[in-house]
Amino acid sequence: MPMSRRWPVLLTSVTLLLLELCPGLAAEAPTSTCSGYPGIPGSPGNNGVPGRDGRDGKDGRDGASGLKGEKGERGESGASGPPGKYGPSGPAGMKGEKGHPGPSGGTVGLSYIEKLQSEVEMLKISLSRLEKAAHFQFFIRSGNKYFGSNKEPSTFEQGLKICRDAGGKIATPGSQVENNALSKFLAESQYAYIGANDRTTEGTFVDLENKPLQFTNWADGEPNDAMETEDCAIIYTSEIWNDVSCDGKYIIICEF
């Protein structure tokens, strides 16, 4: 069939196919369009970036106090505190009645008991000295002595009272070991009184019981009684001694 004859047939077939697929074309205006079938859904998109955290809300009001709980069990006792200061001595008591004689023992038994009694007495004395020294902020032991100090500068007279009230006296070294122990109390540029003095006889230094000194460690050229007012003595951190005025204020160290 020639091509000129095929065009009308082809055009008619296309028109009939459109009317079959879109029936509304026959009744609607020429401007109407044909709606197609829904397409296949696309793939889901990627998740977006998380949003920023919101601001913290305001604190709520405190709730009402709860009921008081039951009383708990009593706790364990704490550690004992330091011993308190000694009170004034009380009046002497009445003499007690004579005790019954103890059983007689041999010479060896008596000797052993006497030795034990002597050791007990020494322990009591040592404990008493320790308790007195422990009243101070700083204290050490040197041989049979205890030294205590609060490292507060005072005059010699004030120091005598401080140590006397504590049951001791201003420390006076009786050996190189004790002299070294006293110097350890001192920091740099500090000095401490010792009991040596020549307030009774100028030029003759004695201890607080007016007895000759058992040990001395004077610096070169000392004591020199400069200005004729140096009747007391101090110890340096270097362990040497120097005579000074008793009115100066230096560290007080007591011995027990």
Side-chain angles (χ1 to χ4, degrees), residues 22 58 87 95 150 167 213 234 239:
C22 300
K58 295 182 179 180
K95 185 176 181 180
N150 287 331
L213 296 174
I234 58 174
E239 303 179 19

Side-chain angles (χ1 to χ4, degrees), residues 120-173:
V120 170
E121 288 301 318
M122 291 179 63
L123 288 174
K124 288 181 178 179
I125 293 173
S126 179
L127 179 60
S128 175
R129 290 174 176 173
L130 174 59
E131 289 178 343
K132 293 175 182 178
H135 284 97
F136 293 90
Q137 186 177 1
F138 306 95
F139 62 93
I140 59 173
R141 179 180 179 179
S142 178
N144 294 326
K145 291 182 180 180
Y146 285 92
F147 299 116
S149 175
N150 287 331
K151 295 188 177 181
E152 296 178 356
S154 303
T155 65
F156 188 77
E157 284 297 328
Q158 290 171 338
L160 290 174
K161 184 177 186 306
I162 290 172
C163 295
R164 183 171 57 248
D165 290 346
K169 59 184 179 180
I170 294 180
T172 306

